[in-house]
Amino acid sequence: MAERGVHLTTAFTAEDRPSIFEVLAQGSLMSAVKPALQHAVKILATSNPAHYGVLWRRFDEIYAILDLLLQHHFLSRTSASFSENFYGLKRVGTDSTHPAHLGLLRRPHWRSLFLLALLPYLHTKLEKILARQRDEDDFSIRLPQSLMQKLYRAFLAAYPFVCMAWDGWIFCQQLLYVFGKVRTHSPLLWLAGVKLSYLTADDIRNLGLKPTGPTLNPSQSIGEKFQHLVSTMVGGVAVSLSTSLSIGVFFLQFLEWWHSSDNQSTVKSLTSLPIPPPPIHLHNQETSLTHIKVCPLCRKVRTNDTALATSGYVFCYKCIYVYVKANHRCPLTGYPSALQHLIKIYTPEG
């Protein structure tokens, strides 16, 4: 069994091909970064809508631009996307070997850039438009439709089947890649005309020696100087993004895991307040009943009984209202409390 399944965890030496686990891991890296960044932007927008609300409203566009700069930088310098370079991989033509430090050829470069950055953005916008349209259709009155409206509704009906066919294509491609029948594990790589391979020792050495960009020549024209300045600025932004992501990628994955829907029960159990212990009653029943009716703050018989939801203790309304308003916590347990946690207790006698 081990001999038959060894091809699942090791690459074919003749083809210098990564294993299925490596290519799937690099593919899931960027898919985990976006939800984590989106949650961080949501927190900023919620805390200060006036300053950070535009980041939340235009998150898709801002992320697409930053992703475009990042992927363009890595494709030009390392012949790989950010996540592929993170795992020590590179993109090469399906029928040739190209040094990584020279970047991809022109046509594979622009194809890869479109499929890496622009296609996910278009897919996200299409999903949001279709979801909004479905919600509107659920509450709209069906009127006579034109030909374009009928075609649009036919597209809405066919879109889930198109997505299912695309997912099936990806699954079949990965299955064939495991058994060595195809050179690429993803249809996107096939459409870009490239395949994944390991970075060699020469590639790593050349990438370390590659200059950051063209040098500025005093004899250049104004247009060439402006182009050099723009190229330098874009390269600086891309380097900053890549460095930040390289350092914070594990933190972003932890943040995405922490706020995932599957993990909410675990998070709630870790962050919820402990159950307060019951009050200590005296052995004497009469004394115990008298003690229960005493307000813990004023030490007198309670009037207008009011319970504090965070701890469960009962006080006089005036006493606990004044205390919580001033201290924002329970006077007995110290649990954080607010005025909305005050609950009026009604008795049958009252």
Side-chain angles (χ1 to χ4, degrees):
M1 289 294 292
E3 294 178 354
R4 293 181 180 179
V6 70
H7 64 280
L8 295 176
T9 56
T10 58
F12 290 87
T13 307
E15 299 182 3
D16 192 24
R17 195 178 70 161
S19 68
I20 185 64
F21 299 107
E22 291 173 307
V23 295
L24 292 181
Q26 67 83 22
S28 63
L29 178 60
M30 291 304 294
S31 62
V33 168
K34 184 176 181 180
L37 288 177
Q38 193 171 15
H39 184 79
V41 171
K42 184 179 180 180
I43 293 177
L44 289 176
T46 304
S47 61
N48 195 336
H51 290 83
Y52 305 112
V54 65
L55 296 179
W56 175 251
R57 293 190 298 270
R58 298 297 180 186
F59 176 80
D60 292 332
E61 288 73 17
I62 295 174
Y63 181 84
I65 294 174
L66 296 178
D67 191 28
L68 189 68
L69 294 176
L70 182 69
Q71 303 299 357
H72 175 69
H73 172 76
F74 274 90
L75 289 173
S76 301
R77 288 184 53 83
T78 66
S79 297
S81 66
F82 167 77
S83 58
E84 292 162 357
N85 180 259
F86 188 83
Y87 281 89
L89 305 176
K90 66 177 180 179
R91 294 188 173 208
V92 297
T94 54
D95 55 354
S96 64
T97 57
H98 190 66
H101 69 283
L102 298 179
L104 286 174
L105 298 177
R106 186 178 183 86
R107 179 173 292 182
H109 174 90
W110 292 110
R111 284 182 180 178
S112 299
L113 191 61
F114 173 79
L115 295 173
L116 283 170
L118 296 181
L119 186 62
Y121 167 74
L122 296 176
H123 178 260
T124 300
K125 301 303 289 186
L126 180 61
E127 288 282 352
K128 290 185 177 181
I129 292 173
L130 293 178
R132 185 168 59 250
Q133 187 63 39
R134 293 191 191 99
D135 294 338
E136 293 176 358
D137 289 345
D138 291 339
F139 299 98
S140 62
I141 300 175
R142 299 297 178 86
L143 299 175
Q145 301 175 351
S146 63
L147 179 61
M148 292 300 297
Q149 291 175 333
K150 291 181 180 179
L151 292 177
Y152 181 72
R153 292 191 177 278
F155 173 75
L156 289 180
Y159 182 75
F161 297 99
V162 174
C163 294
M164 183 176 62
W166 175 257
D167 293 337
W169 186 7
I170 294 176
F171 174 77
C172 293
Q173 189 90 357
Q174 293 175 353
L175 193 62
L176 293 175
Y177 182 84
V178 168
F179 292 102
K181 302 299 182 181
V182 294
R183 296 182 177 182
T184 59
H185 74 286
S186 170
L188 296 178
L189 292 175
W190 177 77
L191 293 173
V194 295
K195 64 179 181 179
L196 293 182
S197 179
Y198 288 112
L199 284 172
T200 63
D202 292 336
D203 290 329
I204 298 174
R205 182 171 59 255
N206 292 329
L207 287 174
L209 298 175
K210 183 177 179 180
T212 55
T215 57
L216 186 62
N217 191 344
S219 62
Q220 291 178 339
S221 64
I222 298 178
E224 292 175 341
K225 292 181 179 180
F226 178 76
Q227 184 179 2
H228 170 78
L229 179 61
V230 172
S231 177
T232 304
M233 292 176 60
V234 171
V237 172
V239 170
S240 301
L241 289 174
S242 62
T243 305
S244 302
L245 283 178
S246 299
I247 296 175
V249 64
F250 297 107
F251 171 75
L252 290 174
Q253 286 187 324
F254 170 77
L255 187 63
E256 192 271 338
W257 168 83
W258 183 264
H259 293 284
S260 63
S261 58
D262 298 335
N263 192 47
Q264 287 303 308
S265 59
T266 304
V267 173
K268 187 176 180 180
S269 64
L270 293 175
T271 57
S272 59
L273 294 174
I275 300 175
I280 300 177
H281 300 296
L282 300 178
H283 297 289
N284 190 316
Q285 184 176 3
E286 296 181 358
T287 308
S288 177
L289 292 174
T290 305
H291 178 75
I292 292 175
K293 296 180 181 180
V294 173
C295 173
L297 287 175
C298 64
R299 301 296 181 180
K300 299 178 182 179
V301 178
R302 293 192 305 263
T303 57
N304 201 0
D305 296 354
T306 302
L308 186 59
T310 54
S311 63
Y313 285 95
V314 183
F315 309 84
C316 299
Y317 175 78
K318 182 179 179 181
C319 299
I320 191 59
Y321 180 89
V322 174
Y323 187 91
V324 170
K325 186 177 181 181
N327 300 279
H328 305 286
R329 63 182 178 88
C330 174
L332 299 181
T333 62
Y335 295 158
S337 306
L339 295 178
Q340 60 265 28
H341 295 138
L342 302 180
I343 301 176
K344 179 70 173 67
I345 299 178
Y346 296 94
T347 60
E349 294 80 6

